[in-house]
Amino acid sequence: MPAPVRLAAVAVTAAACLSASTVPALAADGTVVSRGVTVPAFYDPPATLPAADGALVRSEPLPLALSLPGLDGPLPGRATRLMYKSTDSNGRPVAVTGAYIEPSADWRGTGPRPLVALAPGTMGQGDQCAASLGLEHPLRLNGQTVSVGYEDLAVYRLLARGIAVVVTDYAGLGTTDRLHTYVNRVDEAHAVLDAVRAARALPGTSLTAASRVALFGYSQGGGATAAAAELQSSYAPDVVVAGTYSGAPPADLTEVTKAIDGSDLAGALGWSVNGFLQSDPALRPIADAHLNAAGHAALDDLSTMCVGDALLAYNSARSTAWTTDGKSISDVIAAEPALQAFLDDQRIGTTRPSGPVRLATGTSDNLVPHAQARRLAADWCRLGGNVTYKPVILPDAGRSLINHFAPLLTDQGDAISWLTDRLNGKPVASACGLLPWQP
């Protein structure tokens, strides 16, 4: 359905409630329909959750789409779908889904088989966009969505080295009870760290109490792993992190908001606003005062979309068309102290990260701007962090999405090798001395 038709259809009701979920309906085929999106019934959380963070709520076998039979089981591994308990930024219990994959390959490094918690990059905000579903359906092109499980490549590269992988879907992505709190640093960090706890609690794996743990993430995932490295010591001291890869992290959402407005992935601006309102409903009157009918409708529309859908429907969209006075969302934020305070609280770089961190960013990245990611490395260095900063130098491709994603592919092999060294117990000295603090 073309974007203007969708906007007209939802404009009447969107202003009343931007992020409220309808009561999920169980279909005859065992799926659940929530906010017009269909997901397996597994993703519908129970009314009561366990008390402990990382505690398993349920699990079931997950068929990997890219799998081959092997002498000792399926290649590259055997996957399990997970639901586990976490805590959101307001201190409330939340069910989070994800997947654990036990590799078929042997771990040939030192110590028992290690574990990498993979934080996915931007998938969208519709429940059907969850990364665990992308492992089962890497490419979906149907009337409901356009979705690509692009994180599967990193997952399979890690599995090939004999490294176990747990993937988080984040709070509200996949699960039917709430909207995904896109780029909320606390929600994402907690989901990543609790995914490790959930993987450890899963019976029948080769993980042990001595298994080393590392974190891997790019883009939204880079922000999630960066935040997890900052919050590990206070939130999950039992999850000792041997190393963290943070690629293209959105550390300063004020700068990222300016960059994505009017870009190839302008839809991410809607996901951000939706997530802010889900996290802090007190901001809703401010949003209602500034958004016009088209803006309310766009946020409602985007709340059920994946990246592919947003690229088709909102490519190069500008938020000036969404506001009552023609100001951009960035201008609105600058004029509203409550919004400024919320984004300031989302800033990554105010706490020294636990363990060594490898931070990579494309020098031509103008979607998640290179300068603010590089500044995160400098901020961590000032705080005494063990930081390896990697500028990925590529020519400007002329498209912001290419400038953003090309470094992911260019640097991924080196990032995985760096993490593998940390999982092997190899020390790494901080490279902060090689990073001038001023750009």
Side-chain angles (χ1 to χ4, degrees):
M1 183 183 297
V5 178
R6 280 199 300 264
L7 294 179
V10 299
V12 176
T13 59
C17 184
L18 294 178
S19 62
S21 297
T22 57
V23 177
L26 182 64
D29 61 357
T31 60
V32 170
V33 180
S34 177
R35 293 186 295 115
V37 171
T38 302
V39 293
F42 181 95
Y43 292 82
D44 191 25
T48 303
L49 297 174
D53 289 320
L56 282 172
V57 176
R58 62 176 67 128
S59 63
E60 68 177 18
L62 170 63
L64 292 175
L66 304 176
S67 182
L68 296 172
L71 294 177
D72 299 318
L75 300 172
R78 193 179 303 276
T80 303
R81 203 187 318 264
L82 307 174
M83 180 182 286
Y84 58 93
K85 187 259 183 180
S86 189
T87 297
D88 70 12
S89 56
N90 294 307
R92 297 176 300 201
V94 57
V96 179
T97 54
Y100 170 80
I101 307 98
E102 174 82 10
S104 300
D106 292 333
W107 165 245
R108 301 188 183 279
T110 60
R113 188 190 301 278
L115 173 69
V116 165
L118 189 143
T122 296
M123 295 290 166
Q125 203 158 44
D127 289 331
Q128 80 280 12
C129 315
S132 61
L133 289 169
L135 289 165
E136 186 177 3
H137 305 288
L139 179 62
R140 288 192 291 180
L141 302 170
N142 54 43
Q144 184 185 54
T145 196
V146 179
S147 180
V148 179
Y150 60 86
E151 291 289 9
D152 294 4
L153 175 61
V155 171
Y156 279 54
R157 294 178 80 161
L158 290 162
L159 294 174
R161 292 175 178 243
I163 300 170
V165 179
V166 63
V167 180
T168 181
D169 290 333
Y170 301 127
L173 191 58
T175 50
T176 59
D177 59 337
R178 62 171 63 197
L179 197 62
H180 173 41
T181 48
Y182 182 69
V183 294
N184 180 309
R185 68 177 182 89
V186 175
D187 284 12
E188 293 178 348
H190 289 183
V192 170
L193 295 167
D194 286 328
V196 174
R197 290 165 161 164
R200 287 173 169 174
L202 189 67
T205 76
S206 58
L207 300 177
T208 74
S211 293
R212 293 189 178 96
V213 174
L215 312 179
F216 180 100
Y218 188 89
S219 191
Q220 181 186 1
T225 57
E230 289 193 345
L231 296 180
Q232 178 272 329
S233 59
S234 59
Y235 180 75
D238 54 306
V239 180
V240 179
V241 179
T244 296
Y245 165 65
S246 173
D252 184 343
L253 295 187
T254 299
E255 293 302 315
V256 176
T257 297
K258 295 176 184 176
I260 62 177
D261 199 343
S263 72
D264 301 358
L265 196 58
L269 185 60
W271 296 328
S272 300
V273 175
N274 280 337
F276 301 160
L277 299 182
Q278 173 72 36
S279 296
D280 188 356
L283 299 176
R284 190 175 302 281
I286 300 175
D288 288 340
H290 287 280
L291 292 173
N292 59 25
H296 282 296
L299 298 194
D300 191 74
D301 199 28
L302 283 159
S303 72
T304 61
M305 284 187 170
C306 299
V307 168
D309 309 312
L311 288 174
L312 293 174
Y314 289 94
N315 195 313
S316 303
R318 295 194 175 276
S319 65
T320 50
W322 299 351
T323 59
T324 55
D325 56 6
K327 292 182 178 179
S328 69
I329 295 295
S330 291
D331 289 337
V332 171
I333 291 171
E336 294 285 353
L339 294 176
Q340 292 178 40
F342 183 88
L343 263 65
D344 286 345
D345 189 56
Q346 296 300 320
R347 180 73 179 268
I348 305 171
T350 61
T351 303
R352 185 176 66 184
S354 297
V357 180
R358 183 182 188 275
L359 193 156
T361 171
T363 56
S364 297
D365 192 341
N366 52 354
L367 189 65
V368 178
H370 161 71
Q372 60 86 44
R374 185 188 185 283
R375 188 164 60 248
L376 172 59
D379 288 341
W380 278 343
C381 285
R382 289 190 184 95
L383 293 167
N386 182 337
V387 181
T388 298
Y389 168 71
K390 170 64 176 179
V392 183
I393 302 172
L394 295 172
D396 189 334
R399 300 294 300 184
S400 57
L401 195 63
I402 297 175
N403 286 341
H404 179 58
F405 278 101
L408 166 66
L409 301 177
T410 302
D411 186 56
Q412 190 175 85
D414 289 344
I416 290 175
S417 293
W418 185 91
L419 271 191
T420 303
D421 285 344
R422 307 292 78 78
L423 293 172
N424 266 310
K426 294 181 181 179
V428 59
S430 175
C432 284
L434 303 177
L435 174 69
W437 288 358
Q438 297 299 324

PDB file of all heavy atoms in Angstrom, residues 41-47 49 57-58 83 95 175-177:
ATOM      1  N   ALA A  41       3.057 -17.215  18.188  1.00  0.00           N
ATOM      2  CA  ALA A  41       2.502 -17.038  19.529  1.00  0.00           C
ATOM      3  C   ALA A  41       3.576 -17.035  20.607  1.00  0.00           C
ATOM      4  O   ALA A  41       3.355 -16.514  21.706  1.00  0.00           O
ATOM      5  CB  ALA A  41       1.481 -18.142  19.809  1.00  0.00           C
ATOM      6  N   PHE A  42       4.748 -17.611  20.306  1.00  0.00           N
ATOM      7  CA  PHE A  42       5.860 -17.617  21.253  1.00  0.00           C
ATOM      8  C   PHE A  42       6.173 -16.202  21.738  1.00  0.00           C
ATOM      9  O   PHE A  42       6.594 -16.002  22.886  1.00  0.00           O
ATOM     10  CB  PHE A  42       7.100 -18.211  20.576  1.00  0.00           C
ATOM     11  CG  PHE A  42       8.318 -18.285  21.459  1.00  0.00           C
ATOM     12  CD1 PHE A  42       8.613 -19.452  22.155  1.00  0.00           C
ATOM     13  CD2 PHE A  42       9.184 -17.206  21.588  1.00  0.00           C
ATOM     14  CE1 PHE A  42       9.738 -19.527  22.964  1.00  0.00           C
ATOM     15  CE2 PHE A  42      10.305 -17.274  22.387  1.00  0.00           C
ATOM     16  CZ  PHE A  42      10.583 -18.433  23.089  1.00  0.00           C
ATOM     17  N   TYR A  43       5.969 -15.185  20.894  1.00  0.00           N
ATOM     18  CA  TYR A  43       6.373 -13.818  21.180  1.00  0.00           C
ATOM     19  C   TYR A  43       5.352 -13.051  22.025  1.00  0.00           C
ATOM     20  O   TYR A  43       5.563 -11.871  22.316  1.00  0.00           O
ATOM     21  CB  TYR A  43       6.658 -13.073  19.873  1.00  0.00           C
ATOM     22  CG  TYR A  43       7.878 -13.588  19.169  1.00  0.00           C
ATOM     23  CD1 TYR A  43       7.825 -14.719  18.355  1.00  0.00           C
ATOM     24  CD2 TYR A  43       9.119 -12.971  19.333  1.00  0.00           C
ATOM     25  CE1 TYR A  43       8.956 -15.217  17.730  1.00  0.00           C
ATOM     26  CE2 TYR A  43      10.259 -13.453  18.713  1.00  0.00           C
ATOM     27  CZ  TYR A  43      10.166 -14.584  17.909  1.00  0.00           C
ATOM     28  OH  TYR A  43      11.291 -15.086  17.289  1.00  0.00           O
ATOM     29  N   ASP A  44       4.275 -13.695  22.428  1.00  0.00           N
ATOM     30  CA  ASP A  44       3.276 -13.063  23.285  1.00  0.00           C
ATOM     31  C   ASP A  44       3.634 -13.349  24.743  1.00  0.00           C
ATOM     32  O   ASP A  44       3.504 -14.485  25.200  1.00  0.00           O
ATOM     33  CB  ASP A  44       1.885 -13.613  22.951  1.00  0.00           C
ATOM     34  CG  ASP A  44       0.772 -12.818  23.603  1.00  0.00           C
ATOM     35  OD1 ASP A  44       0.985 -11.626  23.895  1.00  0.00           O
ATOM     36  OD2 ASP A  44      -0.307 -13.387  23.831  1.00  0.00           O
ATOM     37  N   PRO A  45       4.119 -12.361  25.507  1.00  0.00           N
ATOM     38  CA  PRO A  45       4.618 -12.631  26.860  1.00  0.00           C
ATOM     39  C   PRO A  45       3.507 -13.020  27.827  1.00  0.00           C
ATOM     40  O   PRO A  45       2.346 -12.617  27.667  1.00  0.00           O
ATOM     41  CB  PRO A  45       5.255 -11.298  27.281  1.00  0.00           C
ATOM     42  CG  PRO A  45       5.419 -10.523  26.023  1.00  0.00           C
ATOM     43  CD  PRO A  45       4.311 -10.965  25.123  1.00  0.00           C
ATOM     44  N   PRO A  46       3.855 -13.772  28.862  1.00  0.00           N
ATOM     45  CA  PRO A  46       2.875 -14.093  29.900  1.00  0.00           C
ATOM     46  C   PRO A  46       2.611 -12.877  30.779  1.00  0.00           C
ATOM     47  O   PRO A  46       3.361 -11.892  30.764  1.00  0.00           O
ATOM     48  CB  PRO A  46       3.565 -15.215  30.694  1.00  0.00           C
ATOM     49  CG  PRO A  46       5.024 -14.931  30.529  1.00  0.00           C
ATOM     50  CD  PRO A  46       5.171 -14.378  29.135  1.00  0.00           C
ATOM     51  N   ALA A  47       1.551 -12.955  31.580  1.00  0.00           N
ATOM     52  CA  ALA A  47       1.191 -11.829  32.440  1.00  0.00           C
ATOM     53  C   ALA A  47       2.197 -11.629  33.565  1.00  0.00           C
ATOM     54  O   ALA A  47       2.413 -10.504  34.028  1.00  0.00           O
ATOM     55  CB  ALA A  47      -0.208 -12.046  33.011  1.00  0.00           C
ATOM     56  N   LEU A  49       6.180 -12.380  35.043  1.00  0.00           N
ATOM     57  CA  LEU A  49       7.542 -12.715  34.662  1.00  0.00           C
ATOM     58  C   LEU A  49       8.340 -13.137  35.896  1.00  0.00           C
ATOM     59  O   LEU A  49       8.010 -12.753  37.020  1.00  0.00           O
ATOM     60  CB  LEU A  49       8.225 -11.512  34.004  1.00  0.00           C
ATOM     61  CG  LEU A  49       7.617 -11.024  32.695  1.00  0.00           C
ATOM     62  CD1 LEU A  49       8.305  -9.733  32.239  1.00  0.00           C
ATOM     63  CD2 LEU A  49       7.720 -12.094  31.611  1.00  0.00           C
ATOM     64  N   VAL A  57      12.043 -17.359  30.436  1.00  0.00           N
ATOM     65  CA  VAL A  57      10.589 -17.447  30.512  1.00  0.00           C
ATOM     66  C   VAL A  57      10.111 -18.660  29.729  1.00  0.00           C
ATOM     67  O   VAL A  57       9.298 -19.445  30.196  1.00  0.00           O
ATOM     68  CB  VAL A  57       9.938 -16.164  29.961  1.00  0.00           C
ATOM     69  CG1 VAL A  57       8.412 -16.279  29.954  1.00  0.00           C
ATOM     70  CG2 VAL A  57      10.390 -14.952  30.757  1.00  0.00           C
ATOM     71  N   ARG A  58      10.660 -18.842  28.552  1.00  0.00           N
ATOM     72  CA  ARG A  58      10.341 -20.014  27.719  1.00  0.00           C
ATOM     73  C   ARG A  58      11.397 -20.155  26.640  1.00  0.00           C
ATOM     74  O   ARG A  58      12.155 -19.213  26.359  1.00  0.00           O
ATOM     75  CB  ARG A  58       8.951 -19.890  27.096  1.00  0.00           C
ATOM     76  CG  ARG A  58       8.772 -18.713  26.160  1.00  0.00           C
ATOM     77  CD  ARG A  58       7.403 -18.689  25.485  1.00  0.00           C
ATOM     78  NE  ARG A  58       6.324 -18.438  26.418  1.00  0.00           N
ATOM     79  CZ  ARG A  58       5.401 -17.485  26.263  1.00  0.00           C
ATOM     80  NH1 ARG A  58       5.449 -16.684  25.181  1.00  0.00           N
ATOM     81  NH2 ARG A  58       4.451 -17.317  27.119  1.00  0.00           N
ATOM     82  N   MET A  83      12.853 -16.521  25.319  1.00  0.00           N
ATOM     83  CA  MET A  83      12.227 -15.357  25.942  1.00  0.00           C
ATOM     84  C   MET A  83      12.773 -15.287  27.355  1.00  0.00           C
ATOM     85  O   MET A  83      12.824 -16.294  28.064  1.00  0.00           O
ATOM     86  CB  MET A  83      10.699 -15.454  25.970  1.00  0.00           C
ATOM     87  CG  MET A  83      10.026 -14.234  26.631  1.00  0.00           C
ATOM     88  SD  MET A  83       8.216 -14.364  26.708  1.00  0.00           S
ATOM     89  CE  MET A  83       7.786 -14.068  24.989  1.00  0.00           C
ATOM     90  N   ALA A  95       9.620  -8.537  29.193  1.00  0.00           N
ATOM     91  CA  ALA A  95       9.988  -9.764  28.492  1.00  0.00           C
ATOM     92  C   ALA A  95      10.733  -9.401  27.216  1.00  0.00           C
ATOM     93  O   ALA A  95      10.302  -8.515  26.464  1.00  0.00           O
ATOM     94  CB  ALA A  95       8.751 -10.588  28.163  1.00  0.00           C
ATOM     95  N   THR A 175       8.147  -8.988  20.870  1.00  0.00           N
ATOM     96  CA  THR A 175       7.109  -9.168  21.875  1.00  0.00           C
ATOM     97  C   THR A 175       5.932  -8.235  21.603  1.00  0.00           C
ATOM     98  O   THR A 175       6.101  -7.112  21.137  1.00  0.00           O
ATOM     99  CB  THR A 175       7.659  -8.894  23.284  1.00  0.00           C
ATOM    100  OG1 THR A 175       8.345  -7.642  23.294  1.00  0.00           O
ATOM    101  CG2 THR A 175       8.623  -9.991  23.701  1.00  0.00           C
ATOM    102  N   THR A 176       4.743  -8.724  21.930  1.00  0.00           N
ATOM    103  CA  THR A 176       3.515  -8.034  21.519  1.00  0.00           C
ATOM    104  C   THR A 176       2.973  -7.072  22.558  1.00  0.00           C
ATOM    105  O   THR A 176       1.948  -6.428  22.322  1.00  0.00           O
ATOM    106  CB  THR A 176       2.424  -9.083  21.231  1.00  0.00           C
ATOM    107  OG1 THR A 176       2.206  -9.867  22.427  1.00  0.00           O
ATOM    108  CG2 THR A 176       2.838 -10.019  20.103  1.00  0.00           C
ATOM    109  N   ASP A 177       3.630  -6.968  23.727  1.00  0.00           N
ATOM    110  CA  ASP A 177       3.032  -6.218  24.825  1.00  0.00           C
ATOM    111  C   ASP A 177       3.412  -4.745  24.863  1.00  0.00           C
ATOM    112  O   ASP A 177       2.844  -3.985  25.648  1.00  0.00           O
ATOM    113  CB  ASP A 177       3.402  -6.872  26.163  1.00  0.00           C
ATOM    114  CG  ASP A 177       4.914  -6.941  26.386  1.00  0.00           C
ATOM    115  OD1 ASP A 177       5.656  -6.901  25.390  1.00  0.00           O
ATOM    116  OD2 ASP A 177       5.340  -7.062  27.548  1.00  0.00           O
TER     117      ASP A 177
END
